[in-house]
Amino acid sequence: MKYKKLIKRILIYAILILGAFIIQTSVFPLITFFSAVPNLILILTFSFGFIYGSTTGMICGLFAGLLMDLFYTGPFGFYSLIYVCCGYFNGLFTKYYYDDFITLPLLMCTASEIVYNLYIFVFRFLLRGRTDIIYYFMHIILPELLFSLIMTLLIYRVFLKMGKKLDSIDQKRGQNVA
């Protein structure tokens, strides 16, 4: 019975990761403002890490990163590394998790976006001699950060309610009715 619950959660997480990837790569580029799109996969990874702990965040980050690695150029594992680290470090803050506390998830979204974009800058641009970090910050990091914060305000609550619903269903099924 425990394995059925685990498989159900894994399937739901996989559908969410795939849905976030599809929306991020095919829908949002069509409706861009300021040439930036929110990073839904990063939002999903840090949210699951924060809500469910480091292990869930790392697993979510691994599969999200592998999906990004499969569809984008560069060394394989480039995105997996940053998403796994994001899931792990955000999972360290799960002991400070409260349902109605939105400030900490917004701060974690900000930190995750900045670290993610600095990682991209260092390994995609800086090592090739492109050193204009001010331009990169103003035209890439800041707009993406703002849109990701807005999406976090909208999506984080959905993940929270979905997790509570799954927990309540699992608890109801675990009770013996005689």
Side-chain angles (χ1 to χ4, degrees):
M1 192 67 161
K2 185 177 178 182
Y3 294 111
K4 288 182 182 180
K5 293 177 191 178
L6 182 64
I7 290 172
K8 181 176 74 172
R9 281 190 184 261
I10 289 172
L11 285 174
I12 290 172
Y13 294 161
I15 290 169
L16 285 172
I17 290 169
L18 190 60
F21 177 77
I22 290 170
I23 291 171
Q24 180 176 328
T25 57
S26 53
V27 175
F28 280 154
L30 299 176
I31 53 173
T32 59
F33 300 103
F34 305 116
S35 71
V37 295
N39 195 338
L40 290 179
I41 295 175
L42 191 66
I43 294 170
L44 187 77
T45 302
F46 95 78
S47 295
F48 283 165
F50 180 59
I51 295 171
Y52 300 113
S54 293
T55 305
T56 304
M58 287 172 52
I59 292 170
C60 178
L62 177 67
F63 288 116
L66 287 174
L67 194 59
M68 293 288 287
D69 285 332
L70 286 172
F71 287 96
Y72 287 100
T73 60
F76 197 76
F78 180 78
Y79 289 103
S80 297
L81 177 64
I82 190 65
Y83 284 122
V84 166
C85 290
C86 174
Y88 173 75
F89 286 114
N90 285 298
L92 296 177
F93 291 94
T94 195
K95 58 186 167 191
Y96 303 112
Y97 161 71
Y98 296 105
D99 290 348
D100 56 347
F101 192 53
I102 194 68
T103 308
L104 187 57
L106 289 177
L107 290 173
M108 293 170 57
C109 176
T110 303
S112 297
E113 277 288 337
I114 290 173
V115 168
Y116 172 81
N117 281 304
L118 287 176
Y119 174 80
I120 299 293
F121 177 75
V122 167
F123 291 108
R124 294 278 184 189
F125 299 107
L126 191 63
L127 291 178
R128 289 200 227 154
R130 299 179 185 163
T131 59
D132 194 6
I133 192 158
I134 303 296
Y135 178 84
Y136 188 76
F137 181 79
M138 295 302 292
H139 292 91
I140 305 294
I141 295 176
L142 195 58
E144 185 176 316
L145 175 65
L146 292 175
F147 289 127
S148 291
L149 285 173
I150 291 168
M151 288 305 292
T152 299
L153 284 172
L154 300 173
I155 294 175
Y156 181 74
R157 297 282 184 195
V158 173
F159 292 154
L160 219 58
K161 288 180 182 179
M162 184 193 63
K164 285 182 183 180
K165 184 76 172 170
L166 285 172
D167 290 341
S168 69
I169 289 171
D170 289 346
Q171 286 177 352
K172 286 180 185 177
R173 288 186 180 167
Q175 296 174 352
N176 290 332
V177 179

